[in-house]
Amino acid sequence: MGEIRLVEVGEALLSVTTVEELVADPRAGAIVSFGGNVRDHDHGRSVARLTYEGHPSAQAVLAEVAKEIDARFDVVALAVAHRVGPIAIGEAALVAAVSTAHRGEAFAACQALVDLVKERLPVWKHQVFTDGTDEWVNCA
Amino acid sequence: MGEIRLVEVGEALLSVTTVEELVADPRAGAIVSFGGNVRDHDHGRSVARLTYEGHPSAQAVLAEVAKEIDARFDVVALAVAHRVGPIAIGEAALVAAVSTAHRGEAFAACQALVDLVKERLPVWKHQVFTDGTDEWVNCA
Amino acid sequence: MGAEDVEVHLFAAARAAVGESVVHVPAGTLAEVLAALEDGYPAFVAVRPRCSFLVDEVAVHDPGMAVAAGSRLDVLPPFAGG
Amino acid sequence: MGAEDVEVHLFAAARAAVGESVVHVPAGTLAEVLAALEDGYPAFVAVRPRCSFLVDEVAVHDPGMAVAAGSRLDVLPPFAGG
């Protein structure tokens, strides 16, 4: 079993560097990290601002997701955080990092972690476009 | 075509944060980065110190590798650096980052970039173990 | 709220459709509770088919399942994290 | 070095086996040049089968290819980057 060093759903600014530093370990030869950043365009429309809303269970679900990845892959350490509340263009909504002994496992585990967060984490993204319209993503 | 923002083979300390920041872009929704760090053990033996030697063509080969990845994937930006000379335990030998519009492409491109560097880059790793023996990796 | 009511918590697009974060509807099967919401809040009709449901924090898929008085129903539109 | 020599540049494990970074051997086919190195530096025998070769910066695989006088031969053990 690896070490789950951060699982966080909150409003604070996220940094990929922080999760990378958290998973660094003398046993780890490879660190793969992911930053999912808020873009200024979505499907060709210009985004003015964006907010993520989280269900009260989001923190617990993220902890389950982290445990599942740790069980499926040969992880030295992992760290993952999802932001909620208003997020500025260019800032990160999701950051994740995985360290492993060998690089193939780090890529596979980090990608599976991000995919599982997208699938399971009960959070919702609300976009307001520069033309004044808005949408809840995946529910239009 | 994406932008190749750093290709470097040199003796300076490498930071994953640096390559991540280089590939950040308002068009990019996903950044995947890799850090290959020097471990204190290799195949169960304790490593005292380590040096990478590079062939004079290494910088040019790394530039070719970067171009090939940019051609194969839908990259917004990429950055890659390999260190040569003595490297302390825990420090990075290879850092790479790729930004893309969507996350699947970022994982695929970053992993392919690292794999191609490992395959093509003419550099060699010399390990001295704590028992005083040494080896050229892949040539024992 | 009567003791015989279900407390319905609405999130994201479901909340936007209903216009409230929490509403109360009479207990019944899941199908009955959702039908009551559609009657009371016509904009919910478009959102309902894409939602999933928790009763007292447990996922519920069977429309015939009873949602008891005093329980909590969470209405979750499709997730969009990352 | 005579004008009829090849300048051989050795790297990593190949340099360690030969004990020099650069040596000179008579021109000939690639096979002949490598055989001359093996004769002169017996420790090179173990490393040679794993090496690849550049003649004037171009990869060469054919042992029968001529390595002309005045050219440069690079001897590259298996890469180990990353």
Side-chain angles (χ1 to χ4, degrees), chain A residues 17 20 29 31 33 35 37 103, chain B residues 17 20 29 31 33 35 37 103 115:
Chain A
T17 301
E20 269 162 14
I31 296 176
S33 64
N37 295 338
R103 74 186 190 283
Chain B
T17 300
E20 267 162 14
I31 296 176
S33 62
N37 295 338
R103 74 185 189 285
D115 286 349

Side-chain angles (χ1 to χ4, degrees), chain A residues 71-128:
Chain A
R72 276 168 57 191
F73 295 91
D74 192 9
V75 161
V76 171
L78 71 80
V80 59
H82 200 296
R83 196 167 165 197
V84 290
I87 306 188
I89 304 299
E91 290 180 351
L94 170 61
V95 296
V98 176
S99 63
T100 64
H102 301 289
R103 74 186 190 283
E105 194 79 351
F107 278 107
C110 190
Q111 184 158 19
L113 173 58
V114 173
D115 286 350
L116 208 57
V117 167
K118 297 277 279 188
E119 181 189 327
R120 300 251 189 98
L121 195 69
V123 298
W124 299 280
K125 184 178 181 174
H126 185 247
Q127 295 183 143
V128 178

Side-chain angles (χ1 to χ4, degrees), chain D residues 22-72:
Chain D
V22 183
V23 299
H24 297 90
V25 298
T29 64
L30 177 60
E32 287 165 352
V33 169
L34 294 174
L37 278 173
E38 291 181 327
D39 288 346
Y41 308 94
F44 182 63
V45 173
V47 178
R48 174 190 164 175
R50 313 197 56 185
C51 289
S52 58
F53 307 98
L54 305 177
V55 174
D56 292 336
E57 302 183 15
V58 176
V60 171
H61 305 285
D62 175 6
M65 168 149 171
V67 184
S71 60
R72 169 177 169 154

Side-chain angles (χ1 to χ4, degrees), chain D residues 1-31:
Chain D
M1 176 186 184
E4 67 279 20
D5 281 351
V6 171
E7 186 176 283
V8 182
H9 289 248
L10 300 137
F11 295 87
R15 183 187 61 245
V18 168
E20 304 273 357
S21 295
V22 183
V23 299
H24 297 90
V25 298
T29 64
L30 177 60

Side-chain angles (χ1 to χ4, degrees), chain B residues 16 30-31 50 55-56 70 84 107 136 139:
Chain B
V16 179
I31 296 176
L50 189 144
H55 186 265
D70 181 40
V84 290
F107 278 107
W136 287 97
C139 213

